[in-house]
Amino acid sequence: GKVVVAYTDNGNGNTPTAVVGTVNASDNSITFGTPVVIESGVNSGYVNATYDSDSQKVVIAYSDANVSGKGRAIIGTVSGTSISFGTAVEFENGSTVDISIAYDTGAQRFVIAYRDSSNSGYGTAIVGSVSGTTLVLSESATVFESASTYETAMAFDANAGKLLIAYRDQGNSNYGTAIVATPSLYSISFGSAAVFESALSQYMSAAYDSDAQKVVISYMDDGNSNYGTSIVATISGTSVSFGTAAGFESA
């Protein structure tokens, strides 16, 4: 019954940090506990988090600039207004940027998607699970886009039982692109990538609307004066189709 915010604390040596928030529905306010360093000695970037509803844990992924930007992940356990952490594990030995993470309740697995700068910037994903306070990762990651891939964003579509990864495909004119991901025990497969915006698309985010049972992707549309734009994605099997994009900010 809490919310966790994970971030890089520039005021404390760029350490990855998390804080627990408590929402008061009676007056629409939020209060926070004391921030906790996720892993000391780390110069973090691209911090992203997801909630594992089966183990009731938070999984946080980030990169560490102190060790060539290697990708790391850790489990957080909320107690009251505080959070504690297990031991971090390395999910990518090379430079890892543009990290996103989401939890698939059907497969009971989380997926981390990222740009693998040590492998030509390819879009890459890895599957993991939670065991107590320990992370268990698949033996190897899987490439979902064999081209330079930026700004991944991911959401789990509970109706379709699939994950959707949105990203900027530099190998295809930086178009906004998305792909359906299906994790299994310790591997992941992908459908065919589909373009949702035939123009430079940046600053992706993705969220699932449980009422409409659709994923909404939001982004900056360079093809339309850099306006803030959103589009609805509909997953069918391992394919994805899109509605008509709509601007939410004409600036």
Side-chain angles (χ1 to χ4, degrees):
K2 304 290 182 179
V3 61
V4 176
V5 182
Y7 57 98
T8 293
D9 186 352
N10 294 138
N12 186 29
N14 296 326
T15 54
T17 304
V19 65
V20 176
T22 303
V23 174
N24 185 339
S26 66
D27 63 0
N28 296 320
S29 66
I30 185 168
T31 56
F32 293 97
T34 301
V36 179
V37 171
I38 294 170
E39 185 184 10
S40 60
V42 170
N43 183 355
S44 67
Y46 308 101
V47 182
N48 213 310
T50 192
Y51 177 62
D52 178 336
S53 56
D54 292 295
S55 69
Q56 299 181 345
K57 303 288 186 182
V58 176
V59 184
I60 303 173
Y62 48 94
S63 65
D64 183 2
N66 286 339
V67 285
S68 304
K70 293 180 179 181
R72 298 178 67 76
I74 200 166
I75 294 171
T77 302
V78 174
S79 177
T81 59
S82 188
I83 186 169
S84 58
F85 298 97
T87 301
V89 298
E90 184 180 289
F91 66 85
E92 175 57 60
N93 189 46
S95 179
T96 309
V97 299
D98 292 347
I99 297 168
S100 60
I101 183 171
Y103 184 71
D104 183 325
T105 58
Q108 296 186 339
R109 294 290 183 270
F110 64 85
V111 173
I112 305 172
Y114 55 98
R115 167 181 161 85
D116 184 358
S117 295
S118 298
N119 185 30
S120 303
Y122 286 0
T124 306
I126 191 166
V127 177
S129 63
V130 173
S131 177
T133 58
T134 302
L135 286 177
V136 182
L137 296 170
S138 57
E139 291 185 1
S140 60
T142 304
V143 170
F144 63 83
E145 181 60 69
S146 298
S148 195
T149 302
Y150 289 88
E151 299 167 359
T152 68
M154 186 163 36
F156 174 64
D157 185 325
N159 179 59
K162 302 287 183 180
L163 289 158
L164 187 68
I165 305 173
Y167 57 97
R168 173 162 61 93
D169 183 2
Q170 192 180 56
N172 186 28
S173 304
N174 288 303
Y175 286 177
T177 306
I179 195 168
V180 176
T182 306
S184 57
L185 288 178
Y186 292 109
S187 64
I188 187 167
S189 59
F190 300 97
S192 297
V195 171
F196 62 81
E197 182 60 68
S198 297
L200 169 62
S201 305
Q202 293 181 275
Y203 310 113
M204 311 288 180
S205 64
Y208 177 64
D209 181 333
S210 57
D211 293 311
Q213 298 182 333
K214 305 285 186 180
V215 173
V216 176
I217 302 169
S218 298
Y219 57 99
M220 186 182 81
D221 182 4
D222 185 73
N224 187 27
S225 305
N226 290 326
Y227 286 179
T229 305
S230 293
I231 195 166
V232 175
T234 301
I235 296 174
S236 177
T238 58
S239 300
V240 59
S241 58
F242 306 99
T244 302
F248 62 80
E249 179 58 68
S250 299

